Amino acid sequence: MRCPFCHNADSRVIDSREAEEGATTRRRRSCPACGRRFTTVEEAVLAVVKRSGVSEPFNRSKVVAGVRRACQGRPVDEDQLQVLAQQVEDAIRATGAAEVPAHEVGLAILRPLRELDEVAYLRFASVYRSFTSLADFEKEIAELKARQAGGAPPVSLSPDSVGSGSPVP
């Protein structure tokens, strides 16, 4: 790590602490050349790989924007959208991968969105999973009803069930 004062290419770590519930690491450093101390904050970058092969940093605001469209006209407030986006980011980071395919972000959105609002879930799923007929909607609604009745088989969110349509986020 380069010293911000004298630009020496070397520095020594004096202390390390996790911050923001482990999402970042704060390090107190000392420069052996000038003797000054400084703090660095390190955060693991999570990248999303799009179908085109382009990799870009994960952007929580894109998740919120996509889900907001699905929730339009529904009783879902901004705080709930932010919580959902945090759940999605936490689920993706929990995989431990530095890069995740975009379709996995969509899959990570579906489960908490289903719990938040079923109508918004159907809207999002219809675009994300490329529903092509009324039968696709009927099947999804039947699965939602079965879940409400209790003990239903989980909704199939495997990559095989994901259509080739463009994900909303």
Side-chain angles (χ1 to χ4, degrees), residues 58-85:
F58 177 82
N59 187 341
R60 197 183 308 171
S61 63
K62 284 188 170 186
V63 172
V64 171
V67 174
R68 185 180 290 123
R69 283 192 298 269
C71 293
Q72 199 166 11
R74 301 296 304 156
V76 176
D77 63 31
E78 192 63 28
D79 289 340
Q80 290 171 307
L81 293 177
Q82 293 299 329
V83 168
L84 183 138

Side-chain angles (χ1 to χ4, degrees), residues 36-95:
R36 296 180 78 175
R37 293 182 176 194
F38 58 97
T39 301
T40 59
V41 179
E42 301 170 14
E43 181 176 21
V45 176
L46 178 61
V48 177
V49 180
K50 298 193 168 269
R51 279 191 309 235
S52 66
V54 175
S55 181
E56 66 181 41
F58 177 82
N59 187 341
R60 197 183 308 171
S61 63
K62 284 188 170 186
V63 172
V64 171
V67 174
R68 185 180 290 123
R69 283 192 298 269
C71 293
Q72 199 166 11
R74 301 296 304 156
V76 176
D77 63 31
E78 192 63 28
D79 289 340
Q80 290 171 307
L81 293 177
Q82 293 299 329
V83 168
L84 183 138
Q86 183 63 51
Q87 290 173 331
V88 170
E89 184 174 355
D90 291 346
I92 292 170
R93 285 192 186 276
T95 66

Side-chain angles (χ1 to χ4, degrees), residues 2 22-23 29 47 49 88 101 128 158:
R2 188 172 298 278
R29 297 177 176 268
V49 180
V88 170
Y128 182 74
S158 68

